[in-house]
Amino acid sequence: MIIKYTNFSDGIHELEFVEPAEKLKLGSAFLGNVVLQCRMDKSSHQIILDCNVTAYAKLICDRCNSEFNKELHSHYFLSYLFSKSKRISDDENIKFLLPDSDKIDLTDDVVEYTKLSVPMKILCKEDCKGLCSKCGANLNEMQCKCEQQIENEVWLPLKNLLKTT
């Protein structure tokens, strides 16, 4: 996923890259192709990239432990500033291009943002009912016959106190 920016005139350009997830070494959870769509705004002193990444992953639901495929999306901006000397920015989205370079390699950024697109709480669906805490049945697929009210012995003294008042 390399842009040879010297081939483009100043202005706005639409770019699209497609790479297999295996080639990007994203890990076994990611499937198929990763699609990067970039809107490149090139001027004489900077290049600004508005990027959208789409990837597919096989995930395991945190509530019901079911395996499912999910389309993941990530959106980010990158700014490349032309510089006469090597510089490092504190902002991860600002990078510097030296006069002797003519390409921008987006591969590492695509890998990073694709991995960051995996949600912290993975759910097969928003209203996932999870597993029964007694019998382990998947409550999305069936209604178990377990008693729904689960009593914790820790709360028994308080319940007894309620009964005496």
Side-chain angles (χ1 to χ4, degrees):
M1 298 185 165
I2 296 174
I3 299 173
K4 185 167 181 171
Y5 60 85
T6 54
N7 289 348
F8 294 92
S9 61
D10 287 357
I12 295 174
H13 306 278
E14 300 290 331
L15 307 167
E16 182 173 288
F17 301 92
V18 179
E19 289 287 340
E22 298 160 354
K23 185 176 179 185
L24 295 173
K25 297 180 180 149
L26 284 168
S28 60
F30 291 91
L31 311 166
N33 290 327
V34 175
V35 178
L36 171 66
Q37 294 175 320
C38 284
R39 184 172 186 260
M40 180 175 72
D41 187 357
K42 182 183 176 202
S43 66
S44 59
H45 60 282
Q46 69 181 3
I47 296 173
I48 297 175
L49 297 175
D50 180 358
C51 300
N52 287 301
V53 177
T54 303
Y56 299 90
K58 183 178 283 192
L59 303 172
I60 297 175
C61 181
D62 289 337
R63 286 188 190 158
C64 68
N65 207 34
S66 296
E67 215 174 71
F68 66 101
N69 294 338
K70 182 172 177 107
E71 184 176 89
L72 302 171
H73 300 278
S74 183
H75 179 255
Y76 59 94
F77 291 94
L78 294 172
S79 297
Y80 290 87
L81 306 175
F82 294 108
S83 175
K84 293 182 180 175
S85 61
K86 190 172 184 172
R87 296 171 51 184
I88 297 174
S89 172
D90 292 337
D91 188 340
E92 293 179 15
N93 291 347
I94 296 177
K95 300 179 182 191
F96 294 94
L97 295 170
L98 296 173
D100 62 338
S101 67
D102 65 343
K103 296 177 186 133
I104 298 173
D105 188 353
L106 300 173
T107 307
D108 291 340
D109 295 311
V110 169
V111 168
E112 181 179 350
Y113 282 101
T114 302
K115 288 181 178 179
L116 287 172
S117 69
V118 176
M120 290 179 70
K121 182 154 186 87
I122 300 171
L123 298 176
C124 59
K125 55 186 179 181
E126 284 298 317
D127 61 341
C128 177
K129 296 175 184 174
L131 302 175
C132 173
S133 60
K134 284 191 174 180
C135 69
N138 186 339
L139 299 175
N140 296 314
E141 297 171 359
M142 63 174 7
Q143 183 65 37
C144 68
K145 302 209 188 299
C146 296
E147 183 181 323
Q148 294 302 319
Q149 187 175 1
I150 301 168
E151 293 199 24
N152 190 337
E153 293 178 15
V154 173
W155 302 110
L156 284 178
L158 286 175
K159 280 190 167 191
N160 292 335
L161 185 61
L162 279 174
K163 289 177 186 176
T164 60
T165 58

Short mmCIF file of all heavy atoms in Angstrom, two decimals, residues 3 5 44-49 77-106 109:
data_model
loop_
_atom_site.label_atom_id
_atom_site.label_comp_id
_atom_site.label_asym_id
_atom_site.label_seq_id
_atom_site.Cartn_x
_atom_site.Cartn_y
_atom_site.Cartn_z
N ILE A 3 1.99 4.84 -1.98
CA ILE A 3 1.61 5.93 -2.87
C ILE A 3 2.89 6.60 -3.37
O ILE A 3 3.69 7.07 -2.57
CB ILE A 3 0.75 6.99 -2.14
CG1 ILE A 3 -0.53 6.37 -1.60
CG2 ILE A 3 0.45 8.15 -3.07
CD1 ILE A 3 -1.34 7.32 -0.73
N TYR A 5 3.73 9.64 -4.58
CA TYR A 5 3.05 10.94 -4.65
C TYR A 5 3.62 11.86 -5.70
O TYR A 5 2.95 12.81 -6.12
CB TYR A 5 3.02 11.62 -3.28
CG TYR A 5 4.37 11.90 -2.67
CD1 TYR A 5 5.08 13.05 -2.98
CD2 TYR A 5 4.94 11.02 -1.78
CE1 TYR A 5 6.30 13.32 -2.42
CE2 TYR A 5 6.15 11.27 -1.19
CZ TYR A 5 6.84 12.42 -1.52
OH TYR A 5 8.05 12.67 -0.96
N SER A 44 1.88 21.92 -2.40
CA SER A 44 3.33 22.05 -2.53
C SER A 44 4.07 21.87 -1.21
O SER A 44 5.27 21.60 -1.20
CB SER A 44 3.68 23.41 -3.13
OG SER A 44 3.17 24.43 -2.28
N HIS A 45 3.38 21.99 -0.08
CA HIS A 45 4.07 21.88 1.21
C HIS A 45 3.57 20.74 2.10
O HIS A 45 4.14 20.48 3.15
CB HIS A 45 4.00 23.21 1.96
CG HIS A 45 2.61 23.66 2.25
ND1 HIS A 45 1.81 24.25 1.31
CD2 HIS A 45 1.87 23.59 3.38
CE1 HIS A 45 0.62 24.53 1.85
NE2 HIS A 45 0.64 24.13 3.10
N GLN A 46 2.48 20.06 1.69
CA GLN A 46 1.96 18.97 2.52
C GLN A 46 1.06 18.04 1.71
O GLN A 46 0.58 18.40 0.64
CB GLN A 46 1.18 19.51 3.70
CG GLN A 46 -0.13 20.17 3.33
CD GLN A 46 -0.87 20.71 4.54
OE1 GLN A 46 -0.39 20.65 5.65
NE2 GLN A 46 -2.04 21.27 4.32
N ILE A 47 0.84 16.86 2.29
CA ILE A 47 -0.11 15.89 1.75
C ILE A 47 -0.99 15.47 2.91
O ILE A 47 -0.48 15.06 3.97
CB ILE A 47 0.60 14.66 1.15
CG1 ILE A 47 1.45 15.07 -0.05
CG2 ILE A 47 -0.42 13.59 0.77
CD1 ILE A 47 2.31 13.96 -0.60
N ILE A 48 -2.29 15.58 2.74
CA ILE A 48 -3.22 15.17 3.78
C ILE A 48 -4.03 14.00 3.24
O ILE A 48 -4.61 14.07 2.15
CB ILE A 48 -4.15 16.32 4.20
CG1 ILE A 48 -3.31 17.45 4.81
CG2 ILE A 48 -5.21 15.82 5.19
CD1 ILE A 48 -4.09 18.68 5.17
N LEU A 49 -4.05 12.91 4.01
CA LEU A 49 -4.77 11.71 3.63
C LEU A 49 -5.96 11.51 4.56
O LEU A 49 -5.80 11.49 5.78
CB LEU A 49 -3.87 10.48 3.69
CG LEU A 49 -2.67 10.47 2.76
CD1 LEU A 49 -1.80 9.25 3.04
CD2 LEU A 49 -3.11 10.47 1.31
N PHE A 77 -7.03 10.27 9.74
CA PHE A 77 -6.35 11.28 8.93
C PHE A 77 -4.85 11.17 9.16
O PHE A 77 -4.42 10.94 10.30
CB PHE A 77 -6.79 12.70 9.32
CG PHE A 77 -8.20 13.02 8.96
CD1 PHE A 77 -9.21 12.85 9.89
CD2 PHE A 77 -8.53 13.51 7.71
CE1 PHE A 77 -10.52 13.15 9.58
CE2 PHE A 77 -9.84 13.81 7.38
CZ PHE A 77 -10.84 13.63 8.32
N LEU A 78 -4.07 11.38 8.11
CA LEU A 78 -2.62 11.45 8.22
C LEU A 78 -2.16 12.70 7.49
O LEU A 78 -2.65 13.00 6.39
CB LEU A 78 -1.95 10.23 7.60
CG LEU A 78 -2.19 8.88 8.26
CD1 LEU A 78 -1.61 7.76 7.40
CD2 LEU A 78 -1.57 8.85 9.63
N SER A 79 -1.24 13.41 8.09
CA SER A 79 -0.66 14.60 7.46
C SER A 79 0.82 14.36 7.24
O SER A 79 1.54 13.97 8.16
CB SER A 79 -0.85 15.83 8.34
OG SER A 79 -2.22 16.11 8.51
N TYR A 80 1.25 14.58 6.02
CA TYR A 80 2.67 14.47 5.67
C TYR A 80 3.15 15.86 5.28
O TYR A 80 2.64 16.47 4.35
CB TYR A 80 2.86 13.50 4.50
CG TYR A 80 2.59 12.07 4.88
CD1 TYR A 80 1.30 11.54 4.81
CD2 TYR A 80 3.62 11.25 5.32
CE1 TYR A 80 1.06 10.23 5.16
CE2 TYR A 80 3.37 9.93 5.68
CZ TYR A 80 2.09 9.43 5.60
OH TYR A 80 1.84 8.13 5.95
N LEU A 81 4.14 16.34 6.01
CA LEU A 81 4.70 17.66 5.75
C LEU A 81 6.07 17.50 5.10
O LEU A 81 6.87 16.67 5.53
CB LEU A 81 4.83 18.45 7.06
CG LEU A 81 3.55 18.59 7.89
CD1 LEU A 81 3.85 19.30 9.20
CD2 LEU A 81 2.48 19.32 7.11
N PHE A 82 6.33 18.32 4.08
CA PHE A 82 7.63 18.27 3.42
C PHE A 82 8.63 19.00 4.31
O PHE A 82 8.38 20.11 4.78
CB PHE A 82 7.56 18.91 2.03
CG PHE A 82 6.68 18.13 1.08
CD1 PHE A 82 5.45 18.63 0.71
CD2 PHE A 82 7.09 16.91 0.59
CE1 PHE A 82 4.63 17.91 -0.16
CE2 PHE A 82 6.29 16.19 -0.28
CZ PHE A 82 5.06 16.69 -0.66
N SER A 83 9.78 18.35 4.54
CA SER A 83 10.79 18.91 5.43
C SER A 83 12.17 18.71 4.81
O SER A 83 12.42 17.71 4.14
CB SER A 83 10.72 18.21 6.79
OG SER A 83 11.74 18.64 7.62
N LYS A 84 13.08 19.66 5.05
CA LYS A 84 14.44 19.55 4.52
C LYS A 84 15.33 18.67 5.38
O LYS A 84 16.36 18.21 4.92
CB LYS A 84 15.04 20.94 4.37
CG LYS A 84 14.34 21.75 3.31
CD LYS A 84 14.96 23.09 3.12
CE LYS A 84 14.16 23.80 2.03
NZ LYS A 84 14.55 25.13 1.80
N SER A 85 14.94 18.45 6.63
CA SER A 85 15.73 17.60 7.52
C SER A 85 14.81 16.59 8.21
O SER A 85 13.60 16.80 8.30
CB SER A 85 16.46 18.45 8.57
OG SER A 85 15.52 19.14 9.36
N LYS A 86 15.43 15.52 8.71
CA LYS A 86 14.66 14.48 9.37
C LYS A 86 14.12 15.00 10.69
O LYS A 86 14.86 15.50 11.53
CB LYS A 86 15.54 13.25 9.60
CG LYS A 86 14.78 12.05 10.07
CD LYS A 86 15.66 10.82 10.10
CE LYS A 86 14.81 9.63 10.48
NZ LYS A 86 15.54 8.39 10.36
N ARG A 87 12.79 14.89 10.85
CA ARG A 87 12.13 15.36 12.07
C ARG A 87 11.15 14.31 12.54
O ARG A 87 10.66 13.52 11.76
CB ARG A 87 11.40 16.68 11.80
CG ARG A 87 12.34 17.80 11.43
CD ARG A 87 11.64 19.04 10.97
NE ARG A 87 10.60 19.49 11.88
CZ ARG A 87 9.80 20.52 11.62
NH1 ARG A 87 9.93 21.18 10.50
NH2 ARG A 87 8.87 20.88 12.47
N ILE A 88 10.87 14.36 13.83
CA ILE A 88 9.89 13.45 14.43
C ILE A 88 8.85 14.30 15.14
O ILE A 88 9.19 15.23 15.88
CB ILE A 88 10.56 12.47 15.41
CG1 ILE A 88 11.56 11.59 14.65
CG2 ILE A 88 9.52 11.60 16.09
CD1 ILE A 88 12.38 10.69 15.53
N SER A 89 7.60 13.95 14.92
CA SER A 89 6.50 14.69 15.54
C SER A 89 5.97 13.93 16.75
O SER A 89 5.98 12.70 16.78
CB SER A 89 5.37 14.88 14.52
OG SER A 89 4.24 15.43 15.15
N ASP A 90 5.50 14.67 17.75
CA ASP A 90 4.86 14.04 18.90
C ASP A 90 3.49 13.49 18.52
O ASP A 90 2.99 12.57 19.15
CB ASP A 90 4.69 15.07 20.04
CG ASP A 90 6.02 15.47 20.64
OD1 ASP A 90 6.99 14.70 20.52
OD2 ASP A 90 6.09 16.57 21.23
N ASP A 91 2.88 14.05 17.51
CA ASP A 91 1.58 13.60 17.03
C ASP A 91 1.79 12.44 16.06
O ASP A 91 2.51 12.58 15.07
CB ASP A 91 0.86 14.75 16.33
CG ASP A 91 -0.58 14.43 15.97
OD1 ASP A 91 -0.93 13.23 15.91
OD2 ASP A 91 -1.35 15.38 15.75
N GLU A 92 1.17 11.31 16.35
CA GLU A 92 1.35 10.12 15.51
C GLU A 92 0.76 10.28 14.12
O GLU A 92 1.10 9.52 13.21
CB GLU A 92 0.73 8.91 16.19
CG GLU A 92 1.45 8.51 17.45
CD GLU A 92 0.83 7.31 18.13
OE1 GLU A 92 0.01 6.61 17.51
OE2 GLU A 92 1.17 7.09 19.30
N ASN A 93 -0.12 11.24 13.93
CA ASN A 93 -0.76 11.43 12.63
C ASN A 93 -0.08 12.50 11.78
O ASN A 93 -0.58 12.85 10.72
CB ASN A 93 -2.24 11.75 12.81
CG ASN A 93 -3.01 10.55 13.33
OD1 ASN A 93 -2.51 9.44 13.33
ND2 ASN A 93 -4.21 10.77 13.79
N ILE A 94 1.02 13.01 12.28
CA ILE A 94 1.81 13.97 11.49
C ILE A 94 3.18 13.35 11.23
O ILE A 94 3.88 12.95 12.16
CB ILE A 94 1.96 15.32 12.22
CG1 ILE A 94 0.59 15.97 12.39
CG2 ILE A 94 2.92 16.24 11.45
CD1 ILE A 94 0.61 17.27 13.15
N LYS A 95 3.53 13.28 9.96
CA LYS A 95 4.81 12.69 9.57
C LYS A 95 5.51 13.65 8.61
O LYS A 95 4.88 14.52 8.02
CB LYS A 95 4.58 11.33 8.93
CG LYS A 95 3.88 10.38 9.90
CD LYS A 95 3.61 9.05 9.32
CE LYS A 95 2.85 8.24 10.37
NZ LYS A 95 2.75 6.87 10.06
N PHE A 96 6.81 13.47 8.48
CA PHE A 96 7.60 14.37 7.65
C PHE A 96 8.20 13.60 6.48
O PHE A 96 8.63 12.45 6.62
CB PHE A 96 8.70 15.03 8.48
CG PHE A 96 8.15 15.96 9.53
CD1 PHE A 96 7.92 15.52 10.82
CD2 PHE A 96 7.82 17.27 9.21
CE1 PHE A 96 7.39 16.36 11.78
CE2 PHE A 96 7.29 18.12 10.16
CZ PHE A 96 7.08 17.66 11.45
N LEU A 97 8.21 14.26 5.33
CA LEU A 97 8.78 13.68 4.11
C LEU A 97 10.04 14.45 3.74
O LEU A 97 10.03 15.68 3.66
CB LEU A 97 7.77 13.77 2.96
CG LEU A 97 6.49 12.96 3.13
CD1 LEU A 97 5.49 13.34 2.05
CD2 LEU A 97 6.79 11.49 3.08
N LEU A 98 11.11 13.72 3.50
CA LEU A 98 12.38 14.33 3.10
C LEU A 98 12.37 14.57 1.58
O LEU A 98 11.67 13.87 0.85
CB LEU A 98 13.54 13.42 3.49
CG LEU A 98 13.71 13.20 4.99
CD1 LEU A 98 14.78 12.15 5.26
CD2 LEU A 98 14.05 14.50 5.68
N PRO A 99 13.17 15.51 1.10
CA PRO A 99 13.18 15.82 -0.33
C PRO A 99 13.59 14.64 -1.22
O PRO A 99 13.17 14.56 -2.37
CB PRO A 99 14.21 16.95 -0.46
CG PRO A 99 14.36 17.51 0.90
CD PRO A 99 14.01 16.42 1.87
N ASP A 100 14.39 13.70 -0.68
CA ASP A 100 14.84 12.58 -1.51
C ASP A 100 13.82 11.43 -1.56
O ASP A 100 14.03 10.46 -2.27
CB ASP A 100 16.19 12.06 -1.02
CG ASP A 100 16.14 11.54 0.41
OD1 ASP A 100 15.22 11.93 1.15
OD2 ASP A 100 17.03 10.75 0.78
N SER A 101 12.72 11.54 -0.83
CA SER A 101 11.70 10.49 -0.88
C SER A 101 10.63 10.85 -1.91
O SER A 101 10.38 12.02 -2.17
CB SER A 101 11.08 10.27 0.50
OG SER A 101 10.34 11.39 0.88
N ASP A 102 10.02 9.83 -2.48
CA ASP A 102 8.96 10.06 -3.45
C ASP A 102 7.75 9.16 -3.22
O ASP A 102 6.82 9.14 -4.00
CB ASP A 102 9.47 9.91 -4.88
CG ASP A 102 9.91 8.49 -5.19
OD1 ASP A 102 10.12 7.69 -4.25
OD2 ASP A 102 10.05 8.16 -6.38
N LYS A 103 7.79 8.38 -2.10
CA LYS A 103 6.72 7.43 -1.82
C LYS A 103 6.29 7.53 -0.36
O LYS A 103 7.07 7.90 0.50
CB LYS A 103 7.20 5.99 -2.08
CG LYS A 103 7.54 5.71 -3.50
CD LYS A 103 8.07 4.30 -3.65
CE LYS A 103 8.54 4.12 -5.08
NZ LYS A 103 9.83 3.50 -5.17
N ILE A 104 5.03 7.16 -0.15
CA ILE A 104 4.48 7.04 1.21
C ILE A 104 4.00 5.60 1.35
O ILE A 104 3.18 5.14 0.57
CB ILE A 104 3.30 8.00 1.43
CG1 ILE A 104 3.74 9.45 1.28
CG2 ILE A 104 2.66 7.76 2.79
CD1 ILE A 104 2.59 10.45 1.31
N ASP A 105 4.54 4.91 2.35
CA ASP A 105 4.12 3.54 2.63
C ASP A 105 3.07 3.57 3.74
O ASP A 105 3.37 3.94 4.87
CB ASP A 105 5.31 2.68 3.04
CG ASP A 105 4.97 1.21 3.15
OD1 ASP A 105 3.77 0.85 3.04
OD2 ASP A 105 5.90 0.41 3.34
N LEU A 106 1.85 3.20 3.40
CA LEU A 106 0.73 3.24 4.35
C LEU A 106 0.50 1.91 5.07
O LEU A 106 -0.38 1.82 5.91
CB LEU A 106 -0.55 3.63 3.61
CG LEU A 106 -0.53 4.99 2.92
CD1 LEU A 106 -1.78 5.16 2.09
CD2 LEU A 106 -0.41 6.08 3.94
N ASP A 109 0.43 1.84 8.99
CA ASP A 109 -0.73 2.57 9.51
C ASP A 109 -2.02 1.77 9.30
O ASP A 109 -2.88 1.72 10.18
CB ASP A 109 -0.85 3.94 8.84
CG ASP A 109 0.32 4.84 9.17
OD1 ASP A 109 0.63 4.95 10.38
OD2 ASP A 109 0.91 5.41 8.25
#
